[in-house]
Amino acid sequence: MTEYQLYCFAQSGNAYRAALMLNLIGADWQPVFVDFFKAGVQRSAEYRETVNEMGEAPVLVHGHKKLTQSGVILLYLAERSGKFLPRGEDDRLEALRWIIFDNQKVGGNLGPYRFLRNFARPLGEPAALEFLKHRAHGALAILDKRLSRAPYLLGAEPTIADISMTSYLYYPPDEFGFDIAAQYRNVGAWLDRIKAMPRWAHPYDLMPGHPLPA
Ligand SMILES: N[C@@H](CCC(=O)N[C@@H](CS)C(=O)NCC(=O)O)C(=O)O
């Protein structure tokens, strides 16, 4: 049995934040597959009773602890490992600010947009897709401007704010209908910097469930 287990699936950018962090810090971990698309297991009473009352992935299991919300998981792993940990009160609050912005605006719009565009049955209504895409572009522009100032969100060193922000940004351009890294050049350069870190892996290689069965 590994030290950590992560409930996750390959298409989940929310889960990727936690999976990438576990890999980058060199943790001993294994994925627990959440069959989100076929069985919708996260919606079952059993999952809500025994795994996560919020009915979501990711969930990190560490001994008797079960942690949910990727931001909480990132903070827990950073505090335990000392890696990607923002130091001092100002940086800690700043990291939290970007993690919440990501959850609500970057991943928070890109995630449902990509889901409705590729995976939902039936696929999303054009008006809903347009709304989410517009919101996602607004958030990406803000991120791109921020990353014009320094190599990472908080400055010279990467923190959990950066790990969180990667959530949906490595998925293939055809899933979005536009190329995030090409269109937002500072975001693209920052994604390359993170990709160059030892043990970086793509979400489709890191978590189970890709490709989806036909
Ligand atoms: N803010 C949460 C979001 C988690 C989330 O929404 N996960 C999705 C999978 S990508 C989920 O499990 N959704 C459950 C559902 O829609 O039924 C986090 O960052 O952990």
Side-chain angles (χ1 to χ4, degrees), residues 9 11-15 17 36 42-43 48 54-58 68-71 73 103 168:
F9 58 98
Q11 294 76 14
S12 171
N14 289 306
R17 302 183 182 110
F36 183 92
Q42 77 288 350
R43 283 194 293 274
R48 293 183 180 194
M54 294 177 183
E56 294 178 339
T68 83
Q69 292 298 334
S70 57
I73 295 170
N103 271 244
Y168 284 91

Side-chain angles (χ1 to χ4, degrees), residues 189-206:
W190 163 85
L191 285 171
D192 285 345
R193 280 191 282 279
I194 296 174
K195 196 172 176 178
M197 291 178 188
R199 294 182 298 274
W200 178 89
H202 190 276
Y204 283 153
D205 298 324
L206 198 51

Side-chain angles (χ1 to χ4, degrees), residues 141-176:
I142 289 168
L143 175 63
D144 198 62
K145 180 152 185 260
R146 174 69 174 206
L147 289 169
S148 69
R149 295 173 19 173
Y152 297 101
L153 283 169
L154 268 64
E157 299 299 330
T159 67
I160 50 174
D162 298 280
I163 310 294
S164 179
M165 195 63 80
T166 62
S167 59
Y168 284 91
L169 302 183
Y170 287 114
Y171 287 105
D174 61 283
E175 293 182 356
F176 300 100

